[in-house]
């Protein structure tokens, strides 16, 4: 039997001892787990950024992986901790929408309100549920405790929709930059299905008016921004060996207008 | 038998190959260990920051965990490498006070001067004892070599006290910001025991005069700083979904005055 | 049998889900591996920085470790994926020179062009070969698939030489700062063999003219830059508990002149 895998996605950063404390709690519940960091650099308090981060990584893990997602601006408030089964993956997270994209992409989901407090670390602090609730629950799940034991199913869980691109007229679509990656690529919320197939189009973003659609980064000429379908399936504004965000002068939240 | 756990806390950052080299040495001594990063972002050369970091994480790990702590401004000087047993945890570190908080929080400690050079990687460089001394010693410890084999007990090891809050008068205590975390929370050196129970108090920090004491971040109103008992037991100056350090205009080392 | 070790060295950073996706793919091919991060903070698109990073860490790992190196400005172009055996280590990387220092330091190397597409993740994206080619190939290697199965040997692989120090006259050598580490130490491309043994020398770097050669950081006086043989064997311009780059006013690419 392989060791169960537990992934972590948080906005805790890696300079404080928060992630270390969570891992210590996990190993204290189950010594025989594989803990994998997805990212701890989600923008602080930013559930949309957290939703994008986990959604673009979890499906590459084997079935039966347990994913702990802690982007939790409401820690200590009445927001519920939840346990989610989505197809063959299991998630432990606050009920604040951070799993919205997981819900959207799964065929079958079941969401439970975790209220079995005997699985929590005691006393539960009001400021660090990652350590006191989410980590120990994931640990017990990895030991084989059945999901039903943690709480009842709910249907009124929180989910938000990603910002959708808006049609301006029959030939124009207005989207938005959802994220800028490490290389400066601008991840938009527009995907190939949103644009008529076979029609050439232009993309206005920042101070650039882009006509080139590339199939790979290497196709771009130096200093020339282009549009490309990125690794997560959306159009990105990119550049060859250069940071597109600086090149076109746009950041997260910037408008992106597709015209055909 | 579960695999032994070795944690790492350093000021090496993660952009250089230092941490990778240490892990390679560890696996070369013992293939069958679990290596866990606590943090590699301790402020460079800052033993107080290192002491706070390891102290707020180690106790969450299972008994018999080995903790390697390398914040080592005196590498290459006469400062000794030490092996510490503190209750049921084992530490390998330079003797420069970086384990001071571990000493303070443990009921029983024993400190040894590591001088059994046949456990070191040879030749020992003058600039990287993490790779050449601390990692191999931790590796051999994890293989079951007895602590006595690494050197004799000493009693004149280095320890420093955390800065203590100072009484100004019968109703006033002056503390300090020891650390700013990833979210901008200001961790003070004042804890609930330092303030008379049941007496309302105010906290002056930066340009703010704070009257609200919250039990959770979610209790705070937007843009309003408050005081809260943080996850490591000290008072923190915080804000709901905002960076308190920017809000009140204070950083590490700033004065914090409690009045009641 | 111990679990095979796979190390990762990339320029992906840790804020995007790229590294997590690669790890998910690795575990999906082989649940029973040990994945170790060397660094994900190689300068974006910088094959020299990647070459230095992996070269200063890989040899500390046990024989038979598999090293995945993805610094890949040419992703999607015709540059080949390669599988390299260098002494007792195995590497998977793009053929762009990022392994040049590994070639230089190994006694025996064999380089193969990976073209056995049935070991790739399908469909192969044009923008993320780390996930779709390099990770799955490393996973299958760790399962014991023989190297010959991935493609034929080639001899026209890409390699570059490190910048070499240039003699200016019989008593002067001009080198360069190859890297600045986390502490501000300036790693030069000059090593002790380049300077006549036993002759005192001075080093001009930035605005400093350095006469002191130290054996350890602790030997340096406060605020005084010095030269030291660093942990990777080159001379470094350093300072005791201070950032030498700021002290002398030099960064990567700066000239360093040795005179004797």
């Amino acid at each position: 039997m392989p060791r169960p895998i537990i992934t972590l996605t948080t906005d805790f950063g890696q300079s404080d001892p928060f992630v270390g404390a969570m891992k210590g709690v996990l190993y204290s519940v189950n010594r025989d787990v594989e803990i994998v960091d997805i990212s701890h650099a989600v923008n602080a308090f930013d559930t949309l950024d957290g939703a994008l981060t986990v959604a673009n990584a979890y499906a590459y893990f084997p079935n039966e992986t347990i994913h702990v997602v802690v982007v939790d601006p409401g820690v200590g408030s009445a927001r519920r901790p939840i346990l989610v089964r989505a197809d063959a993956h299991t998630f432990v997270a606050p009920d604040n929408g951070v799993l919205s994209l997981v819900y959207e992409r799964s065929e079958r989901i079941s969401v439970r309100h975790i209220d079995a407090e005997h699985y929590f670390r005691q006393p539960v602090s009001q400021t660090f549920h990652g350590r006191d609730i989410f980590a120990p629950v994931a640990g017990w799940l990895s030991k084989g405790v059945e999901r039903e034991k943690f709480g009842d199913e709910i249907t009124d869980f929180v989910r938000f929709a990603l910002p959708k691109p808006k049609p301006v007229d029959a030939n124009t679509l207005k989207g938005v930059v959802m994220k800028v990656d490490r290389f400066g690529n601008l991840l938009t919320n527009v995907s190939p299905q949103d644009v008529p197939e076979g029609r050439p189009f232009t993309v206005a973003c920042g101070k650039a008016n882009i006509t080139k659609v590339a199939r790979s980064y290497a196709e771009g000429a130096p200093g020339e921004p282009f549009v490309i379908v990125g690794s997560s399936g959306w159009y990105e504004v990119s550049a060859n060996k250069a940071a597109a965000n600086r090149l076109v002068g746009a950041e997260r939240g910037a408008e992106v207008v597709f015209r055909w």
Side-chain angles (χ1 to χ4, degrees), chain A residues 17-155:
Chain A
F18 306 140
V19 174
M22 281 182 70
K23 290 182 180 178
V25 169
L26 278 166
Y27 285 120
S28 294
V29 175
N30 187 359
R31 283 293 292 268
D32 212 30
V33 287
E34 193 73 48
I35 304 176
V36 185
D37 298 306
I38 288 182
S39 176
H40 299 291
V42 171
N43 293 332
F45 317 121
D46 186 338
T47 50
L48 172 58
D49 194 42
L52 285 166
T53 302
V54 70
N56 287 326
Y58 83 92
Y60 301 107
F61 283 84
N63 285 347
E64 305 309 326
T65 296
I66 298 164
H67 304 276
V68 179
V69 185
V70 192
V71 181
D72 193 13
V75 58
S77 72
R79 73 93 193 90
R80 299 169 291 192
I82 53 174
L83 193 172
V84 173
R85 180 71 174 180
D87 296 339
H89 291 258
T90 301
F91 296 81
V92 181
D95 181 29
N96 59 17
V98 74
L99 299 179
S100 293
L101 274 158
V102 172
Y103 303 149
E104 193 176 306
R105 294 179 183 184
S106 302
E107 299 205 355
R108 275 193 315 182
I109 61 171
S110 125
V111 180
R112 292 174 183 279
H113 172 196
I114 302 169
D115 61 4
E117 299 186 6
H118 50 285
Y119 293 116
F120 299 174
R121 195 178 159 277
Q122 296 296 347
V124 173
S125 87
Q126 294 293 307
T127 60
F128 195 1
H129 288 184
R131 179 189 68 191
D132 299 338
I133 295 179
F134 301 115
V137 164
W140 288 111
L141 275 167
S142 75
K143 297 268 276 188
V145 175
E146 291 156 324
R147 292 189 292 277
E148 305 80 54
K149 297 277 172 64
F150 293 92
D152 292 335
E153 274 201 73
I154 57 173
T155 53

Side-chain angles (χ1 to χ4, degrees), chain A residues 171-198:
Chain A
N171 304 312
T172 314
L173 194 67
K174 199 190 319 187
V176 73
V177 172
M178 291 195 293
K179 193 178 172 76
V180 181
D181 76 14
R182 199 249 165 147
F183 300 99
N185 297 310
L186 301 154
L187 179 70
T188 76
N189 64 338
V190 180
S191 65
Q193 300 88 285
D194 297 320
V195 176
E197 216 182 323

Side-chain angles (χ1 to χ4, degrees), chain A residues 6-23:
Chain A
I6 298 178
T7 79
L8 304 180
T9 304
T10 78
D11 62 353
F12 291 164
Q14 294 192 287
S15 46
D16 299 296
F18 306 140
V19 174
M22 281 182 70
K23 290 182 180 178

